[in-house]
């Protein structure tokens, strides 16, 4: 298990923007499993912001994970209470509800199995018990996605 100071800090770089742009093309085509384009409305600017994300889907429930911590889209989602997800030309609006540590832990454990490149941002190893993920849930916000009430 890596110590707190050994974990990398997420920084949006030019290379990451280019990589996200390439991923967006693949996601729009539906080529990347479990991945969607997340769109949030800026809490200050009101502008729309889009970023690729990987969802955890289990037992009919959908979970949105912030592997890099409380980045801009997390703050925007918290403020708006809603996000949209796009894949293969289909856009769906969702209500977001932030999960507590007990619910987030199992989701985080499953998430790092799906999104291998994010593993360095977690203290818990992929084979660690769920309790290790519960312990660091405060560093990786998790949101349950539900359809808006009609």
């Amino acid at each position: 298990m890596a110590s707190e100071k050994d974990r990398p800090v997420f920084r949006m770089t030019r290379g990451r923007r280019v990589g996200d742009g390439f991923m967006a093309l693949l996601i729009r085509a539906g080529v990347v499993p479990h991945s969607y384009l997340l769109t949030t409305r800026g809490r200050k600017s009101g502008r729309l912001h889009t970023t690729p994300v990987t969802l955890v889907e289990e037992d009919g429930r959908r979970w949105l994970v912030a592997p890099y911590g409380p980045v801009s889209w997390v703050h925007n989602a918290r403020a708006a209470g809603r996000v949209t997800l796009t894949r293969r030309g289909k856009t769906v609006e969702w209500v977001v509800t932030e999960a507590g540590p007990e619910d987030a832990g199992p989701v985080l454990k499953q998430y790092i199995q799906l999104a291998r490149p994010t593993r360095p941002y977690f203290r818990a190893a992929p084979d660690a018990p769920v309790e290790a993920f519960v312990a660091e849930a405060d560093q990786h916000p998790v949101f349950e996605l539900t359809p808006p009430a009609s």
Side-chain angles (χ1 to χ4, degrees), residues 5 16 21 28-30 33 35 46 64 69 81 88 106 120 126 129 143 145 149:
K5 66 180 182 178
R16 194 174 290 272
R28 279 189 183 94
S35 295
L64 178 60
R88 291 187 182 148
F143 298 90
L145 300 171

Side-chain angles (χ1 to χ4, degrees), residues 12 33 39 48 56 93 97-98 100-101 103-104 119 124 126 131 140 143:
M12 181 53 81
T39 302
L48 297 178
V56 172
E93 183 177 40
T97 305
E98 196 159 355
D103 287 331
R119 287 181 181 175
E131 293 77 24
H140 308 284
F143 298 90

Side-chain angles (χ1 to χ4, degrees), residues 22-32 35 37 86-89:
F22 180 68
M23 285 299 295
L25 291 173
L26 296 175
I27 291 167
R28 279 189 183 94
V31 177
V32 185
S35 295
L37 294 176
T86 303
R87 180 178 168 84
R88 291 187 182 148

Side-chain angles (χ1 to χ4, degrees), residues 49-134:
H49 300 277
T50 301
T51 189
V53 296
T54 300
L55 294 187
V56 172
E57 300 177 63
E58 186 168 340
D59 297 329
R61 297 171 82 180
R62 292 175 178 233
W63 303 91
L64 178 60
V65 174
Y68 309 117
V71 293
S72 291
W73 74 254
V74 172
H75 298 295
N76 293 340
R78 284 174 175 157
R82 292 173 182 257
V83 300
T84 60
L85 294 174
T86 303
R87 180 178 168 84
R88 291 187 182 148
K90 183 178 177 189
T91 300
V92 179
E93 183 177 40
W94 297 93
V95 172
V96 294
T97 305
E98 196 159 355
E102 293 299 320
D103 287 331
V107 174
L108 293 171
K109 182 172 175 68
Q110 187 173 354
Y111 179 85
I112 68 167
Q113 301 301 322
L114 298 172
R116 296 172 68 97
T118 65
R119 287 181 181 175
Y121 295 89
F122 287 81
R123 290 187 306 266
D127 58 350
V130 170
E131 293 77 24
F133 292 94
V134 169

